[in-house]
Amino acid sequence: DAGVIQSPRHEVTEMGQEVTLRCKPISGHDYLFWYRQTMMRGLELLIYFNNNVPIDDSGMPEDRFSAKMPNASFSTLKIQPSEPRDSAVYFCASSLGWTEETQYFGPGTRLLVL
Amino acid sequence: AQSVTQLGSHVSVSEGALVLLRCNYSSSVPPYLFWYVQYPNQGLQLLLKYTSAATLVKGINGFEAEFKKSETSFHLTKPSAHMSDAAEYFCATYAGGTSYGKLTFGQGTILTVHP
């Protein structure tokens, strides 16, 4: 398997623009996670899905953030409108089950909002 | 809720020296504990995990960690550091309570290896 695939790898945009991050989980994995990593706050879980259904979105910072998983092989994280404080690395991860199961991380999308 | 604390945000060792990265957990129930490594500009990769089986867990790249309930610790060690071990290391556990199912990470420890 190619692992978790994320696109784009880098994104530079201007404040106020819409940003869409994409993720393809490992085939057969039924959990998908979106994380954000910053120097100040470290790694934060934003939202996770089980069998394409959002389970916990309490980590989503505000209404400007939304995530969808229309099918088992694709998920998006959208920021609209974007702000400079959204600049971070966004990771997608997937796992087969939870708790003791390993989460496999994608390479991340490095977002810079000017 | 379960959490982990990594002691030392930066650790520097010489090539060939012992690597010791510290992690303490807080949990009211037997925890699941993980060590992940992040190389520059890459995602996190699992090094090893503890799931209530053997207390000494061996991982990839020569790393191992020992679960010590009496000390609530899960320190990561490697007998001899290699230049390629330079990276950031994260200890993690699954949160409990209302956050059941969420993986909670420590703040990370940056390992520098000197020639």
Side-chain angles (χ1 to χ4, degrees):
Chain A
D1 201 306
V4 176
I5 299 172
Q6 291 186 248
S7 64
R9 291 295 308 276
H10 302 273
E11 178 81 29
V12 180
T13 190
E14 293 187 347
M15 183 174 62
Q17 296 298 306
E18 178 179 292
V19 175
T20 299
L21 311 181
R22 297 172 177 79
C23 174
K24 176 179 169 54
I26 293 173
S27 178
H29 282 190
D30 53 355
Y31 281 83
L32 184 138
F33 307 82
W34 281 101
Y35 290 90
R36 178 172 68 176
Q37 184 179 38
T38 61
M39 290 291 291
M40 291 298 294
R41 300 175 67 89
L43 270 163
E44 303 173 277
L45 178 65
L46 300 178
I47 184 171
Y48 74 94
F49 296 82
N50 175 219
N51 292 323
N52 314 336
V53 176
I55 302 301
D56 188 338
D57 64 354
S58 60
M60 296 286 262
E62 48 197 277
D63 292 344
R64 297 184 297 106
F65 286 69
S66 63
K68 295 182 179 180
M69 192 166 185
N71 57 62
S73 59
F74 184 66
S75 177
T76 60
L77 179 67
K78 186 174 293 186
I79 309 172
Q80 166 63 20
S82 58
E83 297 183 2
R85 59 187 168 136
D86 302 329
S87 298
V89 181
Y90 291 81
F91 290 103
C92 176
S94 70
S95 70
L96 184 62
W98 66 351
T99 311
E100 74 271 23
E101 295 298 331
T102 301
Q103 290 186 19
Y104 293 85
F105 283 73
T109 295
R110 189 172 297 273
L111 173 65
L112 178 61
V113 183
L114 301 174
Chain B
Q2 290 141 311
S3 64
V4 289
T5 302
Q6 291 183 242
L7 304 176
S9 58
H10 290 80
V11 170
S12 181
V13 300
S14 299
E15 192 173 20
L18 171 72
V19 176
L20 171 60
L21 305 181
R22 300 177 187 273
C23 174
N24 287 89
Y25 69 90
S26 64
S27 173
S28 58
V29 298
Y32 295 116
L33 294 162
F34 304 77
W35 276 101
Y36 281 84
V37 61
Q38 184 178 27
Y39 298 104
N41 300 315
Q42 294 187 26
L44 279 71
Q45 178 184 1
L46 182 72
L47 275 177
L48 50 82
K49 64 181 177 181
Y50 168 76
T51 58
S52 304
T55 56
L56 183 62
V57 183
K58 294 186 182 299
I60 62 171
N61 301 338
F63 284 93
E64 63 181 36
E66 186 172 7
F67 174 74
K68 291 187 176 181
K69 185 177 180 180
S70 61
E71 300 178 8
T72 62
S73 68
F74 190 58
H75 301 332
L76 182 70
T77 60
K78 182 174 181 177
S80 177
H82 191 273
M83 296 295 288
S84 61
D85 295 327
E88 188 164 14
Y89 292 79
F90 293 90
C91 184
T93 186
Y94 272 100
T98 57
S99 301
Y100 188 73
K102 292 183 179 180
L103 193 60
T104 300
F105 289 88
Q107 286 301 304
T109 298
I110 296 173
L111 175 66
T112 303
V113 182
H114 297 287

